[in-house]
Amino acid sequence: MWQGFKIYFFNKLTLLNFVNSNYNNDNSFELITITANSHNKLKKILIIFALGFVLFISCSKEEDSSVYVINPLTNKQATGSSSHDLLADKKFKSMIVEVVYVEGLEPSTTAISNFVSFLGARTFKPNGITVIKRAIPSPGKVTFTITEIAAIEDANRTKYNTADQIAVWVFFVDGKSELDTSTSVILGQSYRNTSFVIFEKNVRVLSDSPLEPTRSLLETTVITHEAGHILGLTNLGATMQNNHEDTSHPKHCNVSNCLMYWASETSHSISNMGSGLAPQLDAQCLADLRANGGR
C-alpha cells in the first residue's frame, strides 16, 4: 500500500519516488523510482489530479455554506432581544409571520392587513413580509398562564429564523389571561423575542356592540401594541432616546395617546378609540425604533 510520495527536481527533470510502507521481513523497504522518461505522462496525471482535488474542495465549501441548521432556540429568547434584527435588514432581509388561531376565531382581514402595514412602515425588509394563517383545535381551557401559552406555541409553531428570514408567531386563543381582574382584562401579551398572544375571546366580548369599537379596530390596536413590544418598545431592546417610560407601568410609554401606552393591551383601551382610529406611535417611540435600525 502506497502512503506517500516525494518530488525532487534535478536539472528540470522530475523524479518521483514512491515509498512502499509494507516493510519486508528483514525490516528493509522497497524503493521504486520513476525516472524522467515518464515525466510528461506523470505531469499530466498530476495536473488532472490537482484540478480534481481543487474542484472537490470548492464544491464541498459551496455545499457547506448553503446549509443552514434551524435552531428553534433563536426564537425563544427574551422579549425585545431581537429588536434590531426585526427592525433592520443587516441580517434578515425578509420576515414571515405565522398567524395561528383557534378554530372559529380567525382575526379579521382588516386587522392583519393593518398589522402588515405597521411592520412595513417601521422595519426594513427588502425581500418582503409574508403572512401564513391556519387554525388549530381549541386547547380546551378557560384561563391560560403565559407558560401554557408558550407550550402551545412549542407544540404548533412551524416557522423559525433561517439564514436571512426572521419569523414571528402570533396566536389567537379562545380563553382569557390568568392576569384578568374584576375591573380589567388582558387583551394581548408579548412573551418571547418573536412571539405574542392575543386573547381573542376577550377582544370579541369587548367589541362590535354599541359604545364599543369594531372588532377589527380593537384587534388592530392590540396586535400592533404587542408588535411594538417585540420591536423593542418601550425601553425593551430599543434604547430610549429620551426618557418616556411609564414608571407605574414599566416597558410602556408615558404618553397617553401613544400606541405603547399601557392601556392599549387591556380593556381600558376602549376609552381611547372614540375617533374610530387605532392609536399611533408617538414621536419618542418612533425615535427609539429609528435609532435601533428601524424606519
Side-chain angles (χ1 to χ4, degrees), residues 60-80:
S60 297
K61 288 183 177 180
E62 289 180 3
E63 290 175 0
D64 290 342
S65 64
S66 66
V67 175
Y68 182 85
V69 179
I70 293 177
N71 180 7
L73 290 178
T74 62
N75 295 95
K76 297 182 181 182
Q77 305 303 309
T79 306

mmCIF file of all heavy atoms in Angstrom, residues 60-80:
data_model
loop_
_atom_site.group_PDB
_atom_site.id
_atom_site.type_symbol
_atom_site.label_atom_id
_atom_site.label_comp_id
_atom_site.label_asym_id
_atom_site.label_seq_id
_atom_site.Cartn_x
_atom_site.Cartn_y
_atom_site.Cartn_z
ATOM 1 N N SER A 60 -17.352 21.289 -2.063
ATOM 2 C CA SER A 60 -17.675 20.976 -0.672
ATOM 3 C C SER A 60 -17.936 22.236 0.108
ATOM 4 O O SER A 60 -18.865 22.313 0.917
ATOM 5 C CB SER A 60 -16.519 20.185 -0.034
ATOM 6 O OG SER A 60 -16.355 18.944 -0.686
ATOM 7 N N LYS A 61 -17.114 23.282 -0.120
ATOM 8 C CA LYS A 61 -17.304 24.545 0.590
ATOM 9 C C LYS A 61 -18.623 25.193 0.221
ATOM 10 O O LYS A 61 -19.328 25.722 1.062
ATOM 11 C CB LYS A 61 -16.141 25.489 0.296
ATOM 12 C CG LYS A 61 -14.837 25.091 0.975
ATOM 13 C CD LYS A 61 -13.747 26.105 0.699
ATOM 14 C CE LYS A 61 -12.460 25.740 1.441
ATOM 15 N NZ LYS A 61 -11.384 26.725 1.164
ATOM 16 N N GLU A 62 -18.977 25.130 -1.098
ATOM 17 C CA GLU A 62 -20.231 25.719 -1.533
ATOM 18 C C GLU A 62 -21.414 25.008 -0.913
ATOM 19 O O GLU A 62 -22.381 25.622 -0.469
ATOM 20 C CB GLU A 62 -20.323 25.679 -3.054
ATOM 21 C CG GLU A 62 -19.375 26.657 -3.752
ATOM 22 C CD GLU A 62 -19.498 26.570 -5.258
ATOM 23 O OE1 GLU A 62 -20.355 25.804 -5.734
ATOM 24 O OE2 GLU A 62 -18.747 27.281 -5.950
ATOM 25 N N GLU A 63 -21.344 23.684 -0.856
ATOM 26 C CA GLU A 63 -22.435 22.916 -0.262
ATOM 27 C C GLU A 63 -22.558 23.235 1.215
ATOM 28 O O GLU A 63 -23.639 23.420 1.749
ATOM 29 C CB GLU A 63 -22.191 21.422 -0.468
ATOM 30 C CG GLU A 63 -22.348 20.986 -1.929
ATOM 31 C CD GLU A 63 -21.983 19.527 -2.117
ATOM 32 O OE1 GLU A 63 -21.609 18.890 -1.119
ATOM 33 O OE2 GLU A 63 -22.071 19.038 -3.243
ATOM 34 N N ASP A 64 -21.431 23.327 1.917
ATOM 35 C CA ASP A 64 -21.460 23.596 3.347
ATOM 36 C C ASP A 64 -22.051 24.962 3.626
ATOM 37 O O ASP A 64 -22.817 25.156 4.574
ATOM 38 C CB ASP A 64 -20.039 23.512 3.938
ATOM 39 C CG ASP A 64 -19.536 22.085 3.963
ATOM 40 O OD1 ASP A 64 -20.359 21.158 3.866
ATOM 41 O OD2 ASP A 64 -18.311 21.905 4.086
ATOM 42 N N SER A 65 -21.707 25.977 2.793
ATOM 43 C CA SER A 65 -22.162 27.340 3.043
ATOM 44 C C SER A 65 -23.658 27.491 2.778
ATOM 45 O O SER A 65 -24.286 28.424 3.268
ATOM 46 C CB SER A 65 -21.377 28.323 2.169
ATOM 47 O OG SER A 65 -21.639 28.066 0.797
ATOM 48 N N SER A 66 -24.245 26.584 1.973
ATOM 49 C CA SER A 66 -25.657 26.709 1.650
ATOM 50 C C SER A 66 -26.553 26.017 2.674
ATOM 51 O O SER A 66 -27.770 26.157 2.623
ATOM 52 C CB SER A 66 -25.920 26.122 0.259
ATOM 53 O OG SER A 66 -25.687 24.722 0.263
ATOM 54 N N VAL A 67 -25.975 25.276 3.578
ATOM 55 C CA VAL A 67 -26.751 24.545 4.575
ATOM 56 C C VAL A 67 -26.925 25.406 5.814
ATOM 57 O O VAL A 67 -25.951 25.901 6.379
ATOM 58 C CB VAL A 67 -26.063 23.215 4.942
ATOM 59 C CG1 VAL A 67 -26.819 22.532 6.070
ATOM 60 C CG2 VAL A 67 -25.994 22.305 3.723
ATOM 61 N N TYR A 68 -28.181 25.632 6.231
ATOM 62 C CA TYR A 68 -28.460 26.384 7.452
ATOM 63 C C TYR A 68 -29.275 25.492 8.377
ATOM 64 O O TYR A 68 -30.347 25.004 7.997
ATOM 65 C CB TYR A 68 -29.229 27.672 7.155
ATOM 66 C CG TYR A 68 -29.495 28.498 8.395
ATOM 67 C CD1 TYR A 68 -28.546 29.398 8.871
ATOM 68 C CD2 TYR A 68 -30.681 28.350 9.115
ATOM 69 C CE1 TYR A 68 -28.776 30.141 10.016
ATOM 70 C CE2 TYR A 68 -30.921 29.088 10.262
ATOM 71 C CZ TYR A 68 -29.965 29.987 10.697
ATOM 72 O OH TYR A 68 -30.184 30.722 11.843
ATOM 73 N N VAL A 69 -28.770 25.259 9.545
ATOM 74 C CA VAL A 69 -29.455 24.415 10.515
ATOM 75 C C VAL A 69 -30.374 25.289 11.359
ATOM 76 O O VAL A 69 -29.917 26.194 12.063
ATOM 77 C CB VAL A 69 -28.452 23.676 11.419
ATOM 78 C CG1 VAL A 69 -29.197 22.829 12.448
ATOM 79 C CG2 VAL A 69 -27.525 22.799 10.574
ATOM 80 N N ILE A 70 -31.679 25.056 11.264
ATOM 81 C CA ILE A 70 -32.649 25.855 12.018
ATOM 82 C C ILE A 70 -32.574 25.493 13.494
ATOM 83 O O ILE A 70 -32.598 24.321 13.870
ATOM 84 C CB ILE A 70 -34.067 25.620 11.477
ATOM 85 C CG1 ILE A 70 -34.179 26.183 10.052
ATOM 86 C CG2 ILE A 70 -35.112 26.258 12.379
ATOM 87 C CD1 ILE A 70 -35.507 25.944 9.395
ATOM 88 N N ASN A 71 -32.488 26.514 14.326
ATOM 89 C CA ASN A 71 -32.411 26.331 15.766
ATOM 90 C C ASN A 71 -33.588 27.050 16.424
ATOM 91 O O ASN A 71 -33.579 28.281 16.545
ATOM 92 C CB ASN A 71 -31.084 26.882 16.301
ATOM 93 C CG ASN A 71 -30.951 26.708 17.799
ATOM 94 O OD1 ASN A 71 -31.786 26.062 18.439
ATOM 95 N ND2 ASN A 71 -29.911 27.288 18.376
ATOM 96 N N PRO A 72 -34.611 26.323 16.870
ATOM 97 C CA PRO A 72 -35.780 26.961 17.483
ATOM 98 C C PRO A 72 -35.448 27.842 18.687
ATOM 99 O O PRO A 72 -36.218 28.749 19.016
ATOM 100 C CB PRO A 72 -36.646 25.760 17.902
ATOM 101 C CG PRO A 72 -36.262 24.674 16.954
ATOM 102 C CD PRO A 72 -34.785 24.861 16.733
ATOM 103 N N LEU A 73 -34.317 27.597 19.313
ATOM 104 C CA LEU A 73 -33.959 28.396 20.485
ATOM 105 C C LEU A 73 -33.760 29.867 20.137
ATOM 106 O O LEU A 73 -33.900 30.741 21.000
ATOM 107 C CB LEU A 73 -32.685 27.841 21.137
ATOM 108 C CG LEU A 73 -32.826 26.487 21.841
ATOM 109 C CD1 LEU A 73 -31.484 26.037 22.409
ATOM 110 C CD2 LEU A 73 -33.870 26.565 22.957
ATOM 111 N N THR A 74 -33.439 30.152 18.870
ATOM 112 C CA THR A 74 -33.260 31.553 18.483
ATOM 113 C C THR A 74 -34.568 32.328 18.561
ATOM 114 O O THR A 74 -34.554 33.560 18.612
ATOM 115 C CB THR A 74 -32.694 31.669 17.056
ATOM 116 O OG1 THR A 74 -33.625 31.087 16.127
ATOM 117 C CG2 THR A 74 -31.347 30.957 16.944
ATOM 118 N N ASN A 75 -35.688 31.630 18.581
ATOM 119 C CA ASN A 75 -36.996 32.273 18.704
ATOM 120 C C ASN A 75 -37.610 32.091 20.083
ATOM 121 O O ASN A 75 -38.814 32.308 20.273
ATOM 122 C CB ASN A 75 -37.952 31.713 17.649
ATOM 123 C CG ASN A 75 -37.526 32.040 16.235
ATOM 124 O OD1 ASN A 75 -36.856 31.237 15.597
ATOM 125 N ND2 ASN A 75 -37.890 33.216 15.746
ATOM 126 N N LYS A 76 -36.769 31.724 21.045
ATOM 127 C CA LYS A 76 -37.244 31.531 22.412
ATOM 128 C C LYS A 76 -36.422 32.362 23.388
ATOM 129 O O LYS A 76 -36.092 31.925 24.489
ATOM 130 C CB LYS A 76 -37.189 30.050 22.796
ATOM 131 C CG LYS A 76 -38.095 29.163 21.948
ATOM 132 C CD LYS A 76 -38.037 27.706 22.389
ATOM 133 C CE LYS A 76 -38.934 26.835 21.517
ATOM 134 N NZ LYS A 76 -38.933 25.422 21.959
ATOM 135 N N GLN A 77 -36.107 33.584 22.965
ATOM 136 C CA GLN A 77 -35.322 34.486 23.792
ATOM 137 C C GLN A 77 -36.231 35.518 24.453
ATOM 138 O O GLN A 77 -37.442 35.531 24.248
ATOM 139 C CB GLN A 77 -34.251 35.163 22.934
ATOM 140 C CG GLN A 77 -33.356 34.181 22.179
ATOM 141 C CD GLN A 77 -32.644 33.197 23.086
ATOM 142 O OE1 GLN A 77 -32.004 33.600 24.055
ATOM 143 N NE2 GLN A 77 -32.753 31.916 22.777
ATOM 144 N N ALA A 78 -35.627 36.403 25.235
ATOM 145 C CA ALA A 78 -36.396 37.400 25.983
ATOM 146 C C ALA A 78 -37.058 38.407 25.052
ATOM 147 O O ALA A 78 -36.524 38.758 23.997
ATOM 148 C CB ALA A 78 -35.480 38.123 26.964
ATOM 149 N N THR A 79 -38.226 38.877 25.454
ATOM 150 C CA THR A 79 -38.942 39.885 24.680
ATOM 151 C C THR A 79 -38.063 41.122 24.471
ATOM 152 O O THR A 79 -37.482 41.636 25.422
ATOM 153 C CB THR A 79 -40.232 40.303 25.393
ATOM 154 O OG1 THR A 79 -41.005 39.145 25.670
ATOM 155 C CG2 THR A 79 -41.041 41.268 24.551
ATOM 156 N N GLY A 80 -37.976 41.580 23.247
ATOM 157 C CA GLY A 80 -37.186 42.762 22.920
ATOM 158 C C GLY A 80 -35.764 42.474 22.497
ATOM 159 O O GLY A 80 -35.103 43.338 21.925
#
